[in-house]
Amino acid sequence: MLGKLLKYEFKATGRILLPLYGAMVLVGLITSFFINENSFGASQAIFTMMYIGICIVSVVITLLLVIQRFSKNLLSDEGYLMFTLPVSTSSLIISKLIVAVCWGIVGTIAGILSGIALFATVIPWSDIPEMLQYIFTHLGAINSRDWLLMFETIVGCIFSYALFVMAIYTSLSVGQLPFAGKHRKAASIGAFFVIYIIYTAVASVVGVDLATSAPGAWLMSLSVPAQMAIAMMIQLVVIFILFLLTRFFLKKHLNLE
């Protein structure tokens, strides 16, 4: 059933985000044709502003869609239908989280591709073979420890985004509890800040910046890969705690009125 939930969620969100990310790459490519090192005209300014604008819009819409899909499907009138499906509350939450994280990854890749497209026409074609040779030469010189660090950095960023999304889900769930009454949005916003205050306090006690996976003093005696691995494990623990809280609120104390 989780697979069906994921398919439905990807379909519902993809029809909005895929064209948006495609437009971001396309605008980056079009803008690159107007970049000129010697002058900066009106057309360059317009397309540059368009590119910056669509990048900002992509981030904002992705975030709003993450909030809207969780809130509309589970916390509004649709929640009556969703919670009658033969699927667990955990699966409902996990499907939303997986899709949100996947779109975050796709959006990041699209942003990178748009940046490459933006500068593609600036680089002379004659320089491309030399640049590729330079890149592959340096990639071949990277040792296994550096590859591990890069992998851990990428995974740590994914965990950080997943934690951010789970904090949003938990906050939205708190805002729907009966005590919030008619002030659900205010309760959700307040809950989000409370979560991050607690989150920061935990980080200071543990000695790890959970948002960046930076180690505290007590971890400095370990190798850098070990430090990052421990930091990521702590991130996972926080994500799991937020997941349990969200599931508890949805199962025991949800008020859809």
Side-chain angles (χ1 to χ4, degrees):
M1 193 63 183
L2 178 60
K4 292 182 179 179
L5 289 173
L6 290 172
K7 182 180 179 181
Y8 170 77
E9 195 67 20
F10 274 120
K11 185 178 180 180
T13 53
R15 60 190 179 189
I16 298 174
L17 294 180
L18 282 178
L20 181 62
Y21 295 154
M24 181 168 58
V25 176
L26 181 61
V27 171
L29 183 59
I30 294 174
T31 303
S32 68
F33 288 102
F34 290 88
I35 294 178
N36 190 306
E37 295 181 357
N38 299 322
S39 63
F40 190 82
S43 60
Q44 295 168 318
I46 292 172
F47 279 96
T48 300
M49 292 302 296
M50 284 178 57
Y51 175 72
I52 295 173
I54 197 169
C55 288
I56 295 174
V57 168
S58 297
V59 174
V60 172
I61 290 182
T62 300
L63 180 58
L64 290 178
L65 199 58
V66 166
I67 297 173
Q68 187 261 353
R69 292 299 302 173
F70 186 86
S71 179
K72 183 179 179 181
N73 288 165
L74 302 182
L75 305 179
S76 68
D77 292 342
E78 288 187 17
Y80 290 107
L81 174 62
M82 296 299 293
F83 287 109
T84 58
L85 295 176
V87 61
S88 66
T89 303
S90 296
S91 295
L92 291 172
I93 300 170
I94 291 172
S95 65
K96 301 291 184 186
L97 178 63
I98 291 175
V99 172
V101 171
C102 286
W103 283 125
I105 296 172
V106 173
T108 301
I109 294 174
I112 294 172
L113 291 177
S114 71
I116 294 174
L118 181 64
F119 296 101
T121 58
V122 179
I123 302 172
W125 287 98
S126 58
D127 292 344
I128 292 179
E130 183 179 351
M131 290 181 60
L132 291 176
Q133 182 180 2
Y134 177 84
I135 292 172
F136 286 120
T137 300
H138 281 74
L139 286 176
I142 298 176
N143 57 41
S144 57
R145 180 177 179 275
D146 291 334
W147 280 114
L148 178 59
L149 286 175
M150 286 190 288
F151 173 76
E152 288 183 326
T153 300
I154 294 172
V155 174
C157 291
I158 294 173
F159 285 176
S160 295
Y161 183 67
L163 195 154
F164 174 71
V165 172
M166 274 310 310
I168 292 176
Y169 290 168
T170 305
S171 302
L172 291 173
S173 301
V174 170
Q176 295 295 316
L177 297 180
F179 81 88
K182 297 181 180 180
H183 306 287
R184 295 181 173 183
K185 292 183 179 179
S188 296
I189 295 173
F192 184 83
F193 283 107
V194 170
I195 288 172
Y196 264 86
I197 290 173
I198 297 174
Y199 173 77
T200 304
V202 171
S204 64
V205 172
V206 173
V208 177
D209 186 344
L210 302 179
T212 61
S213 298
W218 69 281
L219 290 176
M220 295 304 291
S221 60
L222 302 176
S223 65
V224 176
Q227 295 171 8
M228 296 184 68
I230 292 173
M232 287 188 295
M233 289 175 61
I234 295 172
Q235 286 179 314
L236 280 177
V237 170
V238 176
I239 292 171
F240 185 63
I241 292 173
L242 291 175
F243 166 77
L244 292 178
L245 287 172
T246 304
R247 186 182 66 174
F248 175 76
F249 293 145
L250 294 182
K251 289 182 66 175
K252 303 296 184 181
H253 298 284
L254 184 61
N255 180 19
L256 296 178
E257 294 182 1

